[in-house]
Amino acid sequence: MGRSVKKGPYVDAKLLKKVMAQKGTGQKEPIRTWARACTIIPEFVGYTFLIHNGKIFQKLFVTEDMVGHKLGEFSLTRVFRGHGGVKKKEMRIPGT
Amino acid sequence: MPRIAGVDIPADKPVLIALTYIYGVGRTLSGKILQALGIDEKIRAKDLHEDQLSALGAYIEKNHTIEGALRRQETQNISLLRNIGCYRGMRHRIGLPVRGQRTRTNARTRKGKRKTVAGKRIAAEKT
């Protein structure tokens, strides 16, 4: 079910402010954010975000195709390590 | 067998049903199309007049995406999702349900035939 048009897209106010601040100065530093529910609006294109996934911040460079999606869609919260019994356990990938 | 909008050849069913043999036209759209053109939905497809056939074809092609064009559009939309690295695209890539359905059971349409993993007991005996 879509959000009502009357309200417009949900954009995190603080995040928007940060983006606008960067726009003024012209620098493009990655912006750290927890606002996964924030819709990506055309103003965000070309900026890099660090989106929290509950554990770490995942880097995302926003391109034009991503407009209309939410930030959280690009920062997965689950890690799938694969199924399988004894064999797979030995091949387990170290790290994270 | 009459031809409407390119290659489609609906049989001797009522036009309302015959039109649904076109990819991209269902019952609802079929009804709307016939209403717009003022054609009785109960007459059989074979009894349609030449003019009505061409009118139907022209109307559908002008106002709706059907067949090849629609299929292309769909695959395009999916590949876009795949390429931007979002959650939905990920689900498409690994062949799991995209719209939040459960996968503990069911989801067989997306996952395909069951791939049974060897039971625990047998694995334990081997080691």
Side-chain angles (χ1 to χ4, degrees):
Chain A
M1 181 79 97
R3 186 180 158 94
S4 94
V5 182
K6 182 186 80 183
K7 295 183 196 171
Y10 170 71
V11 182
D12 194 69
K14 275 188 187 169
L15 187 62
L16 185 64
K17 222 166 91 185
K18 277 188 185 169
V19 175
M20 285 317 177
Q22 287 209 357
K23 213 153 233 184
T25 56
Q27 58 165 0
K28 291 199 174 181
E29 281 266 296
I31 302 167
R32 201 171 248 238
T33 180
W34 282 261
R36 296 170 52 85
C38 177
T39 310
I40 296 173
I41 52 173
E43 279 81 352
F44 289 4
V45 173
Y47 289 88
T48 309
F49 293 89
L50 289 167
I51 306 159
H52 198 58
N53 72 354
K55 190 175 179 185
I56 56 160
F57 292 90
Q58 285 188 343
K59 204 177 227 174
L60 176 76
F61 177 77
V62 174
T63 62
E64 216 181 309
D65 292 337
M66 297 175 185
V67 171
H69 290 259
K70 308 260 175 173
L71 284 178
E73 286 183 61
F74 298 92
S75 175
L76 301 190
T77 56
R78 283 158 205 247
V79 186
F80 179 64
R81 284 263 174 64
H83 295 300
V86 190
K87 263 193 242 164
K88 275 270 174 69
K89 253 183 196 164
E90 289 158 7
M91 304 198 300
R92 202 165 179 177
I93 316 130
T96 40
Chain B
M1 276 186 173
R3 284 163 73 97
I4 291 172
V7 242
D8 292 284
I9 322 161
D12 53 3
K13 293 176 181 286
V15 250
L16 179 72
I17 305 301
L19 284 186
T20 64
Y21 281 64
I22 303 169
Y23 186 83
V25 180
R27 278 287 289 267
T28 310
L29 186 56
S30 178
K32 278 182 189 160
I33 290 166
L34 292 173
Q35 206 175 27
L37 292 176
I39 299 172
D40 182 14
E41 59 183 43
K42 287 197 189 76
I43 54 169
R44 308 275 154 177
K46 62 182 175 193
D47 299 329
L48 279 174
H49 200 265
E50 271 306 313
D51 306 341
Q52 289 176 316
L53 282 179
S54 53
L56 271 172
Y59 180 81
I60 293 172
E61 261 165 27
K62 195 176 150 220
N63 297 293
H64 305 286
T65 355
I66 50 160
E67 289 294 334
L70 182 59
R71 287 202 180 91
R72 226 172 304 127
Q73 203 179 63
E74 279 171 2
T75 43
Q76 245 172 38
N77 293 344
I78 292 175
S79 70
L80 179 77
L81 286 176
R82 277 165 177 262
N83 291 334
I84 58 175
C86 69
Y87 181 74
R88 277 175 69 200
M90 227 60 138
R91 301 298 281 184
H92 273 294
R93 268 192 247 161
I94 54 183
L96 286 172
V98 177
R99 299 182 179 174
Q101 298 98 319
R102 64 150 44 196
T103 52
R104 178 171 182 158
T105 64
N106 301 334
R108 273 359 282 196
T109 306
R110 289 286 291 171
K111 286 168 103 178
K113 262 204 148 184
R114 279 172 214 280
K115 299 153 242 160
T116 312
V117 180
K120 254 186 192 164
R121 211 186 296 152
I122 302 159
E125 274 166 14
K126 269 183 185 170
T127 45

